[in-house]
Structure formats: structure tokens, C-alpha cells
Amino acid sequence: MNISTLQPLGWSHFFLQQIDTDTFEKLQSNELEIFRISAVHRSVIKGLGSTWSEGEVELLCPDSFHPVSEHFCVGDWVIAQRTHEHLRIVQVLDAKNQLERLSNQKRQLMAANLDYLFIVTSANSDFNLKRLERYLAMAYESHIEPVIVLNKIDLTDDVDSFLDQVRALKVSEVMTISMLKPDSFLSLTHFLQVGTTIAMVGSSGVGKSSLINALFTHVRTEKSSDSVNLQAIGEIREDDDKGKHTTTSRQLLINEQGVLFIDTPGIRELQLLNAQEGIEQTFGDIVNFAQQCKFTNCTHQTEPGCQILAALESGSLTQSHWDNYQKLLKENAFNARTAQGSYAQKQHMKTFSKMVNREQTRHRQDKGK
């Protein structure tokens, strides 16, 4: 197996250094293969490997990795062994980053190994500054560079009013686009490099799927040497423009420029989990005020010399910004306690599975001597 063929899928030295000598030799002899997970369903995992241009393959996983949704997410890298006509996962490589949230009181993995997180919002009544702060906290916690994409700028005569609110969040990358203005997409070309993985998040209706469709110059469902076939992108008929991509589940997509996208369903409610550092980075202005308080244990309620209270009084800190900061901190702490039991159990099983894999590898090595 030529590992260099995986680079268009986002493969890097970070993953290569996790592979031991024995595994590497088996990869070279094609006893083992590497795949990037492109879809995770209830009991089915699909991935893209060295022959990724030919489409997805189905991957089987051992019982120790069930339920699959708690162990794998779109964007993960795995090693599989071919058994007759099947491919069975034997190892999961550590991810360089992961997006996660709390869903139904359980930790839910959303995507892994990202270069950018496109936070899509729209210049209309769907615009919600507090929701943007949630997404930013999630991105910062996962060490993923956020890019706020303000869509549907054609719907307003006052784009600057939206931009002023976004820029107050101190995000370095803010882009404005409109589906009716193709030239507006030129601002995104800096991020659209071969092998770059971008996840898109945002509430339903902000235009995530429309943005992905716009970034695909054209899509084919037939396999050929000059196009890539991945799931959930239907053939677009030129006469009525129907059949465009819409999102019902997380999936890995790739356009003809070699950029990988992980689209996510519209998230009605994003519950943060283990996001303390991300929240503090998102609300860095509040953290700075608090550090200047007279007392180190200031509760920011009635204490003299409290810089939070002074900032609220002077207007340099808005009440809504302060309230959302407190709300997210309390929510994050509550969710951490709620998920602690199931999360600890999952971490134990993950560690146990890795130990079993190491012992099996050591046993094979000893047997071969």
C-alpha cells in the first residue's frame, strides 16, 4: 500500500507516527489497509481508502466498538484487515481534534481531524449572536480554526450592522457571501486547498447545503477517472436544478478541487460539553475584566473594585454578553456532570480495546519469531 495516495484525503505525519513497525510492514504488503471514515450509520461504517476515487467501501468493526456512534465519527482514520471479501477495523488512530456535544444526555462525536470549522449564519432573522458564541466555544475547545461565514447578504441593505456584531467576537476570519453573487465565493479560496478538511455547522436554513453545492463545480454519480462519487450528492439535472445535496446525516464529501467537507444536519440545540477553555477564549474580554478585579475570589455581584460591574455600568460590557457567558459556564458544568458516567465508561472501553489490540499484535510478533 502506498500511503502517499492518502494525502488527498487529509493524511499527514501526525497519523503516520502512530503506526508501529509491524503494522507498517503489513500495510506495505497490503495485509492491512488505511481508511478515512466517510459515514457512520447505526450499524454501518463507510470509508475511503487508497482507491478513494472509486468510491466508498463498507467497514466492519468488532463488538468492542459497538455502538459504533460512540467510538467513530466522520473524519476518523482507521486501519482495517481484509478477511475474505470483508474489511474489518482493527485499530482507530488518535484524532488531532474532534467536535463533540451533549445529545440526549450522552456525549456525541460530530466530526474529527478538521482544518477549519465554517460557522454559517445568515443576514436575516435567523442571525443569532449567542448561537455564534456557542459554536466558537466549541471550535476553540477543539483547537479548530473558526471561520464565520455570513450568508444571504443579498437579503439586507445593512450588511455592516451584522458585521459589526460578528466582529465584536474578535474572530480573525469573517467572510460574507451570497448565492446570487458568485464572485463573493472568491473570499473562500484561501481555505479551499487540496486535502483540507472543513466542517460546516449552523442552524437549519442558514444555507450550509447550498454553500456546499456552490463549492462543487459539478457533480456526477457515475464513477470515472475525472470525478469522485460520494454518498448523499444526487445528480443535478441542468434543466430544473433539482437533486442538490441536502443533509440528513453527517458525511464526508469531496469536490473536484480536492477539498473535503463534512456537512452536518441543522442543529436545533447545541449543548456544550467539556468546553471550559473554549468558553473562556470566546469570552476573552470578560476574562480580562475579571482578572482586574480587586479581589481574586470576586463573585462579580456586590464586591467593591469589581471590574465586571464597572464594565457593565459603563457600557463597555453588555448585559446580554455577560449573561450568555454565565449561562454557558453553568450549562457546561451541568453537562459535564450529566455525561460523566457514560463518558467514563466509554473511555474505559476505548482504553481496554487498545490494550487488547496491543496484546494481539505482540502475540503475533512473538509467534512469528
Side-chain angles (χ1 to χ4, degrees), residues 295-314:
F295 302 105
T296 56
N297 61 344
C298 184
T299 62
H300 317 301
Q301 295 180 351
T302 59
E303 293 89 344
C306 175
Q307 294 305 303
I308 295 291
L309 296 178
L312 288 170
E313 185 176 352
S314 67

Side-chain angles (χ1 to χ4, degrees), residues 52-291:
W52 55 272
S53 60
E54 298 178 8
E56 300 172 300
V57 298
E58 187 171 318
L59 303 172
L60 304 179
C61 63
D63 293 339
S64 58
F65 288 114
H66 285 275
V68 295
S69 60
E70 293 185 10
H71 295 272
F72 305 97
C73 64
V74 176
D76 272 329
W77 286 96
V78 299
I79 297 177
Q81 184 176 29
R82 185 171 294 278
T83 306
H84 303 296
E85 72 276 16
H86 300 296
L87 285 160
R88 186 178 183 84
I89 295 174
V90 295
Q91 183 180 350
V92 185
L93 300 182
D94 292 336
K96 65 180 182 181
N97 55 50
Q98 287 182 323
L99 285 181
E100 64 176 19
R101 67 167 178 167
L102 190 73
S103 179
N104 297 322
Q105 298 186 333
K106 293 182 180 180
R107 176 175 178 261
Q108 181 186 69
L109 298 175
M110 300 171 63
N113 298 310
L114 307 176
D115 296 297
Y116 299 103
L117 181 68
F118 277 16
I119 302 173
V120 186
T121 185
S122 51
N124 57 13
S125 58
D126 288 329
F127 182 87
N128 188 311
L129 196 64
K130 292 183 178 180
R131 186 184 299 126
L132 290 181
E133 290 173 336
R134 282 179 175 269
Y135 284 124
L136 285 174
M138 180 175 65
Y140 290 140
E141 184 67 30
S142 302
H143 304 288
I144 304 168
E145 183 174 354
V147 179
I148 294 183
V149 180
L150 181 62
N151 191 18
K152 304 183 181 182
I153 57 174
D154 55 284
L155 299 181
T156 179
D157 295 326
D158 190 9
V159 177
D160 288 339
S161 64
F162 290 96
L163 285 176
D164 287 343
Q165 296 181 70
V166 174
R167 287 168 179 158
L169 299 175
K170 307 297 183 183
V171 180
S172 58
E173 301 288 357
V174 179
M175 306 296 165
T176 58
I177 62 170
S178 168
M179 299 301 155
L180 303 181
K181 300 177 180 179
D183 289 346
S184 66
F185 291 97
L186 294 176
S187 63
L188 301 177
T189 54
H190 168 70
F191 310 102
L192 308 180
Q193 304 298 319
V194 176
T196 296
T197 304
I198 300 170
M200 293 193 184
V201 294
S203 58
S204 298
V206 297
K208 300 191 310 298
S209 295
S210 296
L211 175 55
I212 284 187
N213 279 315
L215 295 175
F216 278 71
T217 54
H218 63 276
V219 181
R220 303 171 185 172
T221 56
E222 297 177 358
K223 298 178 183 179
S224 66
S225 59
D226 61 348
S227 64
V228 179
N229 175 45
L230 295 181
Q231 86 284 7
I233 293 282
E235 183 177 4
I236 300 177
R237 292 171 289 185
E238 295 181 359
D239 57 340
D240 59 8
D241 200 36
K242 293 182 179 179
K244 287 189 176 181
H245 163 62
T246 55
T247 309
T248 57
S249 62
R250 277 172 287 280
Q251 55 209 312
L252 183 69
L253 311 168
I254 182 170
N255 72 359
E256 292 190 352
Q257 287 69 46
V259 186
L260 296 104
F261 298 95
I262 298 178
D263 195 5
T264 63
I267 300 175
R268 296 180 180 178
E269 184 178 13
L270 175 64
Q271 292 285 319
L272 296 178
L273 178 64
N274 301 320
Q276 176 78 30
E277 293 183 9
I279 293 172
E280 291 182 353
Q281 187 170 348
T282 302
F283 295 87
D285 54 342
I286 293 178
V287 174
N288 289 334
F289 282 131
Q291 290 174 343

